[in-house]
Amino acid sequence: MALMITDECINCDVCEPECPNGAISPGEEIYVIDPNLCTECVGHYDEPQCQQVCPVDCIPLDPEHEETRDQLMEKYHIITVA
Protein backbone atom coordinates (compact mmCIF):
# COMPACT_ATOMS: atom_id res chain seq x y z
CA MET A 1 0.00 0.00 0.00
CA ALA A 2 1.15 3.49 -0.63
CA LEU A 3 1.10 5.93 2.24
CA MET A 4 -0.90 9.14 2.52
CA ILE A 5 -0.67 12.31 4.56
CA THR A 6 -3.77 13.32 6.50
CA ASP A 7 -5.02 16.80 7.25
CA GLU A 8 -3.35 16.63 10.67
CA CYS A 9 -0.12 17.53 8.80
CA ILE A 10 1.52 20.65 10.30
CA ASN A 11 3.77 21.29 7.27
CA CYS A 12 6.92 20.83 9.33
CA ASP A 13 8.88 19.71 6.25
CA VAL A 14 10.67 16.79 7.92
CA CYS A 15 9.12 14.04 5.78
CA GLU A 16 9.93 15.34 2.29
CA PRO A 17 13.74 15.03 2.46
CA GLU A 18 13.47 11.56 4.04
CA CYS A 19 11.64 10.03 1.05
CA PRO A 20 14.14 8.10 -1.08
CA ASN A 21 11.75 8.02 -4.05
CA GLY A 22 10.81 11.70 -4.12
CA ALA A 23 7.16 10.77 -3.56
CA ILE A 24 6.46 13.55 -1.04
CA SER A 25 5.90 17.12 -2.16
CA PRO A 26 4.16 20.26 -0.91
CA GLY A 27 0.47 20.30 -1.78
CA GLU A 28 -1.88 23.25 -1.77
CA GLU A 29 -2.41 23.08 2.01
CA ILE A 30 -0.41 20.09 3.28
CA TYR A 31 2.26 17.75 2.00
CA VAL A 32 1.09 15.01 -0.36
CA ILE A 33 2.41 11.59 -1.36
CA ASP A 34 2.38 10.43 -4.99
CA PRO A 35 1.13 6.82 -4.79
CA ASN A 36 2.91 6.04 -8.06
CA LEU A 37 6.26 6.75 -6.39
CA CYS A 38 5.59 5.55 -2.84
CA THR A 39 7.00 2.12 -2.04
CA GLU A 40 6.74 2.49 1.76
CA CYS A 41 10.55 2.58 1.50
CA VAL A 42 10.58 -1.08 0.38
CA GLY A 43 13.92 -1.61 -1.35
CA HIS A 44 15.54 1.22 0.61
CA TYR A 45 14.72 0.74 4.30
CA ASP A 46 12.92 -1.69 6.61
CA GLU A 47 10.34 0.93 7.62
CA PRO A 48 8.82 4.00 5.96
CA GLN A 49 11.15 6.85 6.83
CA CYS A 50 8.48 9.54 6.63
CA GLN A 51 6.47 7.78 9.35
CA GLN A 52 9.58 7.55 11.52
CA VAL A 53 10.23 11.31 11.48
CA CYS A 54 6.65 12.64 11.48
CA PRO A 55 6.06 14.44 14.80
CA VAL A 56 2.24 14.25 14.58
CA ASP A 57 1.82 10.69 13.26
CA CYS A 58 -0.24 11.74 10.23
CA ILE A 59 1.09 9.30 7.61
CA PRO A 60 -1.05 6.15 7.54
CA LEU A 61 -1.49 3.54 4.82
CA ASP A 62 -3.65 4.74 1.93
CA PRO A 63 -6.60 2.33 1.66
CA GLU A 64 -7.21 3.44 -1.93
CA HIS A 65 -3.79 2.14 -3.04
CA GLU A 66 -3.45 -1.39 -1.70
CA GLU A 67 -0.26 -3.16 -2.76
CA THR A 68 1.57 -6.24 -1.55
CA ARG A 69 5.21 -6.15 -0.51
CA ASP A 70 6.06 -7.88 -3.80
CA GLN A 71 4.21 -5.19 -5.77
CA LEU A 72 6.02 -2.48 -3.80
CA MET A 73 9.36 -4.16 -4.57
CA GLU A 74 8.45 -4.31 -8.26
CA LYS A 75 7.59 -0.60 -8.19
CA TYR A 76 10.92 0.08 -6.44
CA HIS A 77 12.79 -1.69 -9.26
CA ILE A 78 10.91 0.29 -11.92
CA ILE A 79 11.56 3.62 -10.16
CA THR A 80 15.26 2.99 -9.52
CA VAL A 81 16.00 1.76 -13.05
CA ALA A 82 14.50 4.86 -14.69
Side-chain angles (χ1 to χ4, degrees):
M1 237 180 234
L3 300 171
M4 60 183 273
I5 297 176
T6 67
D7 58 4
E8 285 91 27
C9 175
I10 59 171
N11 289 311
C12 67
D13 194 39
V14 297
C15 61
E16 183 182 20
E18 295 300 319
C19 181
N21 297 326
I24 301 174
S25 62
E28 287 189 30
E29 293 185 25
I30 60 173
Y31 278 83
V32 294
I33 297 178
D34 181 344
N36 296 315
L37 295 176
C38 179
T39 63
E40 294 180 50
C41 291
V42 168
H44 294 285
Y45 302 102
D46 292 333
E47 298 179 354
Q49 298 301 289
C50 59
Q51 287 180 329
Q52 298 299 308
V53 299
C54 181
V56 293
D57 195 27
C58 68
I59 309 176
L61 294 172
D62 185 346
E64 293 186 22
H65 295 94
E66 290 191 37
E67 295 168 292
T68 65
R69 188 157 182 85
D70 288 339
Q71 289 171 314
L72 292 169
M73 184 59 84
E74 184 178 325
K75 189 191 309 184
Y76 160 77
H77 287 297
I78 292 169
I79 291 169
T80 57
V81 169

